[in-house]
Amino acid sequence: MTTPRFISMEGIARRYPAPGGGRTTIFEDLWLPVQRGEFVCVIGHSGCGKTTVLNILAGLDSPSEGTVIVDGQAISGPSLDRAVIFQGHALLPWRSVLGNVTFAVRSRWPDKPREWVEAQARRFIALVGLAGAERKRPAELSGGMKQRVGIARALSIEPKILLMDEPFSALDALTRGTLQDEVRRICLDTGQTTFMITHDVDEAMYLADRIVLMTNGPGACIAEIVENPLPRERDRTDLHRHPHYYTLRNHLLDFLVTRSRTFRDSPPPGYDRRHPPVVRPGAAPQPVPVPETGDTLPLAQFANRRHP
Ligand SMILES: Nc1ncnc2c1ncn2[C@@H]1O[C@H](COP(=O)(O)OP(=O)(O)O)[C@@H](O)[C@H]1O
Ligand SMILES: [Mg+2]
């Protein structure tokens, strides 16, 4: 039995009017299933349409063609079921940390008593390590602390899906690492379905269960879905010792450096946008079936076999 798809992107395209007439296709015919509890990262070069895809998932933009189904329902606008963490924190500057988070909690549960709303907000503020800073206003916080408020606010409404658009790219390396650790721990502990955009290969390798590779635009497509061969319980300090670490990293870098440019015009034989190939770098080749009768195997059975 297969698990029902929690998110299903079905043939979506986004086109804009082009200067001088006609239309520019940013991406088209994107098909992507996401399972409940999965952490998916999308990587691709700047301008290929990643933010547009995320905005469509958030309900802030609509596809020119195709639909996105979430938990059995087509998306038709923003919903508190889908929380977004933006790169630029988007906090209300006149509200305190607590005020920013309670604002979200109250929008989600308008009928709950004030004490409940505040307790829910405080719980998530503590979860991101900001206990004690509840009364501070955004202007008094560092970039990392502001982003923590953004994370607490998004998680406090217990969304079905967490959407993140390069949330750590403006932070220094140390803060970025700490926040990645925290988000990873929270998402694993709560089974949070997460869709995140990044252009950072190491970030995708550390966080994602699957990494979606988007080609360059215009007319971008999903080239491949890469299954992360690193164990789900992973520790950033010894990731590089995993036997498949460099195979995975080289595969992703090779895509960004070369294949993201060349893929669209020369896709591999049999490539089908509706079923982008799923690859698992470093995986052992499938065992070759041995015929019971002693017959010779037809050569075609070996033709598409991948080797590491
Ligand atoms: N309102 C718009 N009108 C025309 N083109 C747009 C508009 N919004 C975005 N684009 C174009 O769509 C492309 C994809 O943008 P975006 O989704 O932000 O890419 P990414 O997040 O991958 O860097 C870019 O080339 C951008 O210029
Ligand atoms: Mg973007």
Side-chain angles (χ1 to χ4, degrees), residues 153-180:
R153 179 180 55 185
L155 293 170
S156 69
I157 61 170
E158 300 179 17
K160 285 185 182 172
I161 304 172
L162 179 63
L163 301 167
M164 296 192 274
D165 190 355
E166 306 199 6
F168 311 129
S169 56
L171 304 174
D172 63 273
L174 204 60
T175 311
R176 183 159 64 235
T178 314
L179 284 191
Q180 286 167 347

Side-chain angles (χ1 to χ4, degrees), residues 106-126:
R106 201 172 294 118
S107 319
R108 171 73 151 173
W109 293 285
D111 300 329
K112 292 276 190 192
R114 208 173 60 86
E115 298 71 29
W116 186 92
V117 169
E118 192 172 316
Q120 172 82 350
R122 284 183 183 278
R123 184 157 74 86
F124 283 88
I125 290 168

Side-chain angles (χ1 to χ4, degrees), residues 81-102:
D81 282 343
R82 287 167 264 126
V84 189
I85 300 177
F86 299 98
Q87 183 182 342
H89 331 293
L91 302 179
L92 302 172
W94 61 90
R95 283 182 176 260
S96 65
V97 168
L98 185 63
N100 268 278
V101 182
T102 51

